[in-house]
Amino acid sequence: MKILYTVFLAVFFLLYSTHIVHAQDVHITLPTSSIFNRSEFTTVQTVMNTQGNSSWRSTGVDPYVRSSSGEFFIHTSAPTTTLPTSVLQWQLASIGGQQAPFRSGDVLPGYKWFTSSYQTWYQPTASSRYNAGNVAFRFRIPSSQIEANAFYAGDYKIQIAQDYGRSGWYAIEFSPESFSTFITIPEDIRWLLGSTSNYVTINSLNEFRTGAQFAINLGTMEIGHTIDFDLFAKSEKKVVQFKALNGKNRKFDVSVVQLGSNQPKILTMALEKNEKNYSAAGGFKVERGNRANFELQLLVNNEDFKNYFFEAGTYTFQVNLNAKASNGSSNSAKEVDVTVVVPFLSEITIPGGNTEVNFLFNTVQQYNEGQTKVIPNQIRVSNNENYELYVKSDANYFYSNGIQTNINSDVLEIGIEGNSKRIPLSKSSQILMSNGSPEIDKNLNLNYTISAISAQSLIPKEKKSYSINVIYSFTAL
């Protein structure tokens, strides 16, 4: 009988031990959508088990938890990277599936966070009871904490101890007596802000005259990231396609366009077909708020802008952006289609106010031989299409003191220096120059001629001043 009694006791202890439930460590995964949107995150997690108990200690001791590893969550892969424990707030949610509070008079404390000091998580009355089972806490990470901290991808850990473990030597009330709490941050890189297309219209010839670079602002870009990254870029199609208004399309290498930014972390370099790293040394580190903001610009130096983008038409190309994790583990790509529209632009000016041409006839030789006046740089033409330059007068006859005379406008002939062609002035527009190439601020020297025959026709005319207005214009071909 004594032997049987001994065996019975051994079996009894084995059966008792099978009632012990060991809770797992607490794992809280903070979605990157909450990080990037800075929105509050909540979850309910089991932290302990009552081990079959359903009543509080008769001694009236409130249950508490505390951090046994300090005031910070420690990154398991980078121990110098931490989060303050205040990022994670907690409150008792339920015991055995029953929502707290359980009895009238019980006190359910509000949200707290783990510290090395004792934190009471429930204040029961003397007669209060609860359902046996799992003890679940409600955890939350407020939006203010998400915005105020930098969350690196990986696991952050803290060790938690609780005082409702062993009561004396014979039983375990709540289990486990200590557990680890992990905050897991997924690895993610994501474009949050930035247009996928950019449309620019050049409305003035002055855009081609400035000595500064021509800049196309691609706008504000924003990237959410939980891992360090570098900004890569290329132009996969490698060319700028030009569709001319005159139908003569062409293309040219996109490398005349540079990608840059006012952000010192981004280098300014020409676009190419092959992807290049545009990040300065160190790239973009994870910072508080987990967002990287920067402006992007496309730059074309003044000479290239005049040489490649002056003609009227539509220019299109693509910028391929790629935010790549510095360790090469992930990336997020973005394409921006760029369209530059250059409408028909033209201008004729008279630089320096050189608006008069004077002929003086007071010698026999001048009447017999006629005269020619060369006016250097009298008109300046700008036209971004092939064009014809026209000339005409505003009347068929010269005027004197505002009165029309019988001196015909065609006594005056006009030509361009270097061109033998001379046009007798008429009220009807006539071609002074044919098939002019697109150009900006081209100065023309003009020849004004009154031939010997025309000069001799002036001999009988009354000796006084005569005038007529000359008008220059051009038409795109």
Side-chain angles (χ1 to χ4, degrees), residues 191-197 220-223 232 234 296 318-323 331-336:
W191 290 88
L192 303 179
L193 184 65
S195 176
T196 58
S197 62
T220 300
M221 304 289 174
E222 186 170 67
I223 297 175
F232 285 74
K234 64 179 179 178
L296 284 182
Q318 191 176 78
V319 181
N320 308 100
L321 303 171
N322 200 357
N331 72 289
S332 181
K334 180 183 183 63
E335 294 180 352
V336 182

Side-chain angles (χ1 to χ4, degrees), residues 70-110:
E71 305 293 329
F72 294 91
F73 285 88
I74 307 298
H75 199 288
T76 58
S77 299
T80 58
T81 300
T82 63
L83 286 173
T85 55
S86 57
V87 301
L88 183 66
Q89 300 177 3
W90 50 263
Q91 182 187 43
L92 174 64
S94 65
I95 300 180
Q98 182 183 4
Q99 297 293 310
F102 310 113
R103 295 290 188 272
S104 176
D106 288 1
V107 175
L108 174 65

Side-chain angles (χ1 to χ4, degrees), residues 63-209:
Y64 68 80
V65 291
R66 68 181 180 87
S67 166
S68 58
S69 60
E71 305 293 329
F72 294 91
F73 285 88
I74 307 298
H75 199 288
T76 58
S77 299
T80 58
T81 300
T82 63
L83 286 173
T85 55
S86 57
V87 301
L88 183 66
Q89 300 177 3
W90 50 263
Q91 182 187 43
L92 174 64
S94 65
I95 300 180
Q98 182 183 4
Q99 297 293 310
F102 310 113
R103 295 290 188 272
S104 176
D106 288 1
V107 175
L108 174 65
Y111 277 100
K112 301 180 180 182
W113 57 83
F114 297 121
T115 72
S116 57
S117 300
Y118 297 149
Q119 300 285 314
T120 302
W121 53 268
Y122 197 67
Q123 295 173 278
T125 58
S127 61
S128 181
R129 297 179 64 84
Y130 51 83
N131 291 343
N134 288 331
V135 179
F137 278 17
R138 182 176 293 106
F139 293 95
R140 74 178 182 185
I141 301 177
S143 59
S144 59
Q145 291 292 335
I146 292 175
E147 186 172 0
N149 289 280
F151 293 85
Y152 284 84
D155 293 324
Y156 293 83
K157 178 183 177 182
I158 194 171
Q159 193 70 24
I160 305 302
Q162 59 92 9
D163 77 328
Y164 252 60
R166 291 187 179 274
S167 177
W169 61 271
Y170 56 86
I172 297 177
E173 289 182 290
F174 285 9
S175 177
E177 292 180 85
S178 67
F179 56 89
S180 296
T181 299
F182 294 87
I183 300 176
T184 298
I185 310 300
E187 184 175 300
D188 197 3
I189 302 174
R190 193 184 310 173
W191 290 88
L192 303 179
L193 184 65
S195 176
T196 58
S197 62
N198 193 281
Y199 190 95
V200 178
T201 300
I202 309 301
N203 289 315
S204 172
L205 287 167
N206 289 333
E207 297 282 6
F208 299 95
R209 293 185 174 118

Side-chain angles (χ1 to χ4, degrees), residues 202-310:
I202 309 301
N203 289 315
S204 172
L205 287 167
N206 289 333
E207 297 282 6
F208 299 95
R209 293 185 174 118
T210 177
Q213 290 178 312
F214 177 75
I216 299 173
N217 186 9
L218 296 182
T220 300
M221 304 289 174
E222 186 170 67
I223 297 175
H225 60 112
T226 59
I227 191 167
D228 298 343
F229 75 90
D230 293 305
L231 180 66
F232 285 74
K234 64 179 179 178
S235 184
E236 191 169 328
K237 297 179 181 178
K238 79 175 184 179
V239 296
V240 178
Q241 297 281 353
F242 172 58
K243 185 176 182 180
L245 293 183
N246 61 15
K248 296 180 180 179
N249 302 334
R250 58 182 173 85
K251 57 187 177 182
F252 54 91
D253 198 290
V254 75
S255 61
V256 301
V257 180
Q258 292 183 315
L259 176 68
S261 175
N262 58 0
Q263 164 62 261
K265 295 179 182 178
I266 297 177
L267 304 173
T268 297
M269 296 187 292
L271 284 172
E272 296 178 359
K273 180 180 180 181
N274 297 323
E275 196 172 61
K276 295 189 298 187
N277 188 350
Y278 280 73
S279 298
F284 289 84
K285 303 295 184 182
V286 175
E287 297 179 356
R288 187 176 65 181
N290 289 83
R291 295 183 188 175
N293 295 275
F294 49 86
E295 300 278 335
L296 284 182
Q297 290 181 324
L298 298 174
L299 303 170
V300 185
N301 71 53
N302 183 252
E303 282 303 309
D304 284 340
F305 190 54
K306 285 193 293 186
N307 291 336
Y308 291 98
F309 289 88
F310 181 64

